[in-house]
Amino acid sequence: MPITPATAASSASTGTGTQDAIMLELVDESGNTIGTAEKLSAHQAPGLLHRAFSVFLFDAQGRLLLQRRALGKYHSPGVWSNTCCGHPYPGESPFAAAARRTHEELGLSPSLLAEAGTVRYNHPDPASGLVEQEYNHLFVGLAREGLRPDPEEVGETAFVTAGELERRHAEAPFSAWFMTVLDAARPAIRELTGDAAGW
């Protein structure tokens, strides 16, 4: 049974210790839905092309909110990445999924969230052997409330300027997909933050 937001919430709260498999939406090269697959199997090499989303939130100073993925995550643990990323449930809109997961992972609801295009990529993760074959919907927005990160999802957060990001990216491990999604979202980021922010 494909998990919907409603069944995901109820299965997680049963306390039985068993959860239904998380299903992802498979797509063709144009982003049209062609089926579903279980989350882990979709990421096993060579990977199945599936729908995903990436969120970039900024504060009033134009700084990007980064998160370091929790060490317990099976895919890309302990690396820095964009504000939030994930997968819509089958039939769930990417916009709704982006807003939902941002709240679930970071405890905040963006005060503004706008579409910023799509990008398709194939990024293997050498550490885990998993593959990101994704048709990714990009979103940019503003974060204007306190963070309450879920420690099972997020190990650390940081607001960074464009210059600070360059230094951090040179020194610390980032997700394999980070620069691809950031570069694809840059036009919308510049429109949101203005030229002075340097994005």
Side-chain angles (χ1 to χ4, degrees):
M1 174 183 71
I3 288 188
T4 65
T7 59
S10 62
S11 66
S13 62
T14 58
T16 61
T18 60
Q19 292 185 343
D20 293 333
I22 296 175
M23 304 299 290
L24 306 186
E25 200 169 83
L26 301 181
V27 300
D28 63 18
E29 293 291 340
S30 299
N32 301 306
T33 302
I34 59 172
T36 60
E38 189 275 326
K39 182 178 179 181
L40 183 57
S41 68
H43 288 88
Q44 290 172 336
L48 299 173
L49 184 59
H50 58 275
R51 195 177 309 283
F53 65 83
S54 289
V55 177
F56 297 85
L57 296 184
F58 296 82
D59 66 9
Q61 289 76 48
R63 298 179 304 168
L64 171 61
L65 174 58
L66 298 176
Q67 70 154 277
R68 187 171 62 82
R69 294 164 63 84
L71 292 174
K73 294 181 79 70
Y74 75 89
H75 191 349
S76 301
V79 301
W80 288 92
S81 199
N82 49 295
T83 306
C84 180
C85 55
H87 310 92
Y89 295 121
E92 181 183 28
S93 77
F95 183 92
R100 171 179 58 80
R101 284 302 292 165
T102 300
H103 187 267
E104 290 172 355
E105 290 188 10
L106 295 161
L108 64 83
S109 297
S111 58
L112 169 74
L113 193 63
E115 294 182 3
T118 59
V119 63
R120 190 264 195 252
Y121 53 77
N122 173 3
H123 283 305
D125 175 30
S128 67
L130 300 175
V131 178
E132 290 287 8
Q133 285 268 18
E134 294 190 331
Y135 188 93
N136 198 305
H137 297 256
L138 309 171
F139 298 92
V140 299
L142 300 175
R144 290 185 174 155
E145 58 182 84
L147 300 175
R148 296 180 304 281
D150 177 351
E152 292 189 5
E153 298 285 345
V154 181
E156 190 178 350
T157 61
F159 280 97
V160 298
T161 66
E164 289 167 345
L165 174 61
E166 285 188 21
R167 291 190 293 275
R168 187 181 289 257
H169 190 261
E171 298 169 357
F174 272 71
S175 64
W177 61 87
F178 176 74
M179 287 307 300
T180 299
V181 293
L182 175 63
D183 287 344
R186 281 187 196 273
I189 291 171
R190 292 187 188 109
E191 186 174 341
L192 176 71
T193 61
D195 293 339
W199 294 103

